Amino acid sequence: MQWIVDLFEGAQDGLFEMAVQPILYSFGLGSFLEDGYRATGWLLVGLIQIVALLAIIGPLQRWRPVEDRRDPAAVRTDVLYTLLHRLGIFRVALFFSVEPLFDQIFGWLRVLGIGTVHIDQLMLGASLHPVVSAAIYLVVFDFFDYWIHRGQHAFNWWWNLHSLHHSQRHLTMWSDNRNHLLDDLIRDSLMVIVGQLIGVGPGQFVVIVAITQLSESLQHANVRMHFGMLGERLWISPRFHRLHHSIGVGHETSADGQLLEYGRSPALGGHNFGVLLPWWDMIFGTASFQARYDPTGIRDQVERGREYGRGFFAQQWLGLLRLVGRA
């Protein structure tokens, strides 16, 4: 494990010294070297993920696709979303917009004597091996992520943003980051707050985010894949998550399985809200392990022809119109 860390740090150092540092100096941003080095780590993680998408998940999609019909233009737009997020562009925007505010808030709380709670030490009373500690934090993050996801489906205003993610009729490995930027801002801000409160280290946070993003790319892939009766209950598979995207099944049904009326938000009684682990769906009664691969999308797209936008800017604009009730 240590050799992987050393290899990554060496690559980060090289990329920073050869590319990022000269750019910062050329624009007179020498005071941001430390932040630039951290951003280089995120960039490197993103590049590794994209290589994994192209080298591993892409061939899986060609090997056992769920559907052959694709919309190339829609896929290209999803690729743009992926590049914005995985290469750190969205995270840089967060750094210059909301992160300074969070730093001030948590600095103020520390002055008042309110510090973070290190969950791994609180649970077991001692510092653990970094891998074990990161695993504990991953489970804690996933628990909060489950409830954030349910919130995205529970409140009409939030669903008006999150529905963009579900509007992709042909899921691929690029579809995970197809989100309204305001939706991403809300979710990422909540996760940053959780991370600050439970005391996760920066290195652990990077690992957790990288694992989460790669797993979500696989979950959205156009691949006919499941993990077996046991594996499906340990980690979320493409089949498990596809059901969440299925029209009128995964996110548009009430607790008793009945379709909701138009104008109502998808109910908390939908299915498969988990992000990494299906445990929370199993515990809170939202899991469905049906062996099916249904068409994906939103019911009003099919039955009423509602438009969610073709390109990036149209999708973002229509999301804002939905949010204020003008779409």
Side-chain angles (χ1 to χ4, degrees), residues 105-181:
I105 292 174
F106 285 105
W108 177 66
L109 290 175
R110 291 187 184 97
V111 170
L112 294 178
I114 303 174
T116 58
V117 177
H118 293 269
I119 294 295
D120 56 339
Q121 297 181 26
L122 183 65
M123 292 175 59
L124 301 171
S127 297
L128 301 172
H129 189 280
V131 174
V132 177
S133 178
I136 293 173
Y137 282 116
L138 185 146
V139 173
V140 174
F141 268 111
D142 197 62
F143 173 77
F144 282 100
D145 224 354
Y146 168 83
W147 286 105
I148 289 173
H149 194 183
R150 286 189 67 166
Q152 290 171 317
H153 287 259
F155 303 105
N156 279 312
W157 68 267
W158 207 347
W159 168 251
N160 285 330
L161 296 173
H162 184 63
S163 56
L164 169 59
H165 179 68
H166 285 267
S167 66
Q168 175 56 276
R169 297 295 311 281
H170 305 289
L171 292 179
T172 70
M173 64 184 183
W174 306 105
S175 300
D176 172 46
N177 291 118
R178 177 194 176 99
N179 299 307
H180 198 280
L181 295 180

Side-chain angles (χ1 to χ4, degrees), residues 58 61-62 65 67-73 75 170-172 222:
Q61 290 189 139
R62 294 188 291 272
E67 51 189 356
D68 294 325
R69 187 168 63 91
R70 307 260 186 90
D71 184 340
V75 174
H170 305 289
L171 292 179
T172 70
N222 177 32

Side-chain angles (χ1 to χ4, degrees), residues 33 71 147 157 198 232 248 273 283 289 303 313 315 324:
L33 289 179
D71 184 340
W147 286 105
W157 68 267
I198 65 177
E232 291 272 277
F273 294 98
I283 291 171
F289 294 98
E303 298 182 6
F313 292 106
Q315 291 170 357
V324 299

Side-chain angles (χ1 to χ4, degrees), residues 218-257:
L218 177 61
Q219 293 167 20
H220 290 86
N222 177 32
V223 58
R224 192 175 296 272
M225 176 184 289
H226 63 87
F227 297 156
M229 182 176 296
L230 177 60
E232 291 272 277
R233 287 156 177 79
L234 296 177
W235 200 265
I236 291 175
S237 71
R239 183 177 72 177
F240 184 90
H241 189 70
R242 185 181 180 89
L243 192 143
H244 175 68
H245 280 263
S246 298
I247 299 172
V249 180
H251 61 279
E252 296 178 300
T253 53
S254 61
D256 59 2

Side-chain angles (χ1 to χ4, degrees), residues 8-18 37 40:
F8 180 85
E9 290 179 349
Q12 183 179 1
D13 292 341
L15 182 59
F16 176 73
E17 293 173 0
M18 289 188 297
Y37 183 78
T40 304

